[in-house]
Amino acid sequence: MTLVVKDLGRSPGSMRTLEEHTAAPKDFGVALIGVQQGSDMELDLKLEAVHEGILVSGTVSVDVTGECGRCLDPIAYDLDVKVQELFYYEDAELLEEEEQDEQRRVERDLIDLEPALRDAVVTALPFQPVCREDCQGLCPECGIRLEEDPGHHHEVVDPRWAALVGLAGTAADEAPKSKESDEREES
Ligand SMILES: [Zn+2]
Ligand SMILES: [Zn+2]
């Protein structure tokens, strides 16, 4: 996704549009959700020469797929992401030394759109994707879909009490037994 921008020269105001379909590169996503590599990605961008560099703005449209973080159901939807990114000319002076690493650059009349588009798309993805806002998810005990079984619950004993119950049970079971019977069971 490298573009030659030599044609824009260095005259602020010159611009052109970029409208094309392309195959999504890899890693346009996060753990549970993202854009499948190779899926159709539509670019509708404007490239504009400004004083400090080339301003790229517009929209990138992608197909997002993933799974619900609560119930693991598949999720799929279209997403239009606004993009606005300034690629500085190589000799453009930056005010802050530390900003230089973060700034995107025009390098030898080329700009690499991919990292800028990746950032824009990944930022627009939900941090915790859900199939629906009110998805109730799965029961952590047995995995049943909670909305299919309203009121579903398990008798859960507090683990601290469970330990005591276990101890009491063991003591009661062993009390009537003699040492001999214990040995017989073991052999
Ligand atoms: Zn869900
Ligand atoms: Zn359950």
Side-chain angles (χ1 to χ4, degrees), residues 139 141-142 144 152 154:
C139 169
E141 292 289 316
C142 67
I144 194 177
H152 177 85
H154 297 260

Short mmCIF file of all heavy atoms in Angstrom, two decimals, residues 139 141-142 144 152 154, ligand 2:
data_model
loop_
_atom_site.label_atom_id
_atom_site.label_comp_id
_atom_site.label_asym_id
_atom_site.label_seq_id
_atom_site.Cartn_x
_atom_site.Cartn_y
_atom_site.Cartn_z
N CYS A 139 -22.92 -19.45 30.91
CA CYS A 139 -22.73 -19.75 32.33
C CYS A 139 -21.28 -20.19 32.54
O CYS A 139 -20.80 -21.09 31.86
CB CYS A 139 -23.68 -20.86 32.75
SG CYS A 139 -23.31 -21.51 34.40
N GLU A 141 -20.12 -21.86 34.83
CA GLU A 141 -20.04 -23.19 35.45
C GLU A 141 -20.23 -24.30 34.42
O GLU A 141 -19.48 -25.26 34.40
CB GLU A 141 -21.14 -23.33 36.52
CG GLU A 141 -20.93 -22.45 37.73
CD GLU A 141 -19.77 -22.94 38.58
OE1 GLU A 141 -19.68 -24.16 38.81
OE2 GLU A 141 -18.96 -22.10 39.00
N CYS A 142 -21.26 -24.16 33.58
CA CYS A 142 -21.59 -25.27 32.68
C CYS A 142 -21.59 -24.87 31.21
O CYS A 142 -21.74 -25.72 30.35
CB CYS A 142 -22.95 -25.86 33.06
SG CYS A 142 -24.32 -24.74 32.75
N ILE A 144 -23.80 -23.16 29.49
CA ILE A 144 -25.11 -23.00 28.85
C ILE A 144 -25.32 -21.54 28.49
O ILE A 144 -24.75 -20.65 29.15
CB ILE A 144 -26.24 -23.51 29.78
CG1 ILE A 144 -27.54 -23.68 28.99
CG2 ILE A 144 -26.46 -22.54 30.93
CD1 ILE A 144 -28.68 -24.25 29.85
N HIS A 152 -31.25 -19.35 35.46
CA HIS A 152 -30.26 -20.43 35.57
C HIS A 152 -29.21 -20.11 36.63
O HIS A 152 -28.65 -19.04 36.65
CB HIS A 152 -29.59 -20.60 34.20
CG HIS A 152 -28.50 -21.62 34.19
ND1 HIS A 152 -28.72 -22.95 34.01
CD2 HIS A 152 -27.15 -21.48 34.34
CE1 HIS A 152 -27.58 -23.60 34.05
NE2 HIS A 152 -26.60 -22.74 34.24
N HIS A 154 -26.38 -22.21 39.68
CA HIS A 154 -25.91 -23.43 40.33
C HIS A 154 -25.82 -23.17 41.83
O HIS A 154 -25.57 -22.04 42.23
CB HIS A 154 -24.52 -23.80 39.82
CG HIS A 154 -24.50 -24.12 38.36
ND1 HIS A 154 -24.50 -25.39 37.87
CD2 HIS A 154 -24.49 -23.30 37.28
CE1 HIS A 154 -24.49 -25.35 36.55
NE2 HIS A 154 -24.49 -24.11 36.16
ZN ZN B 2 -24.68 -23.33 34.43
#
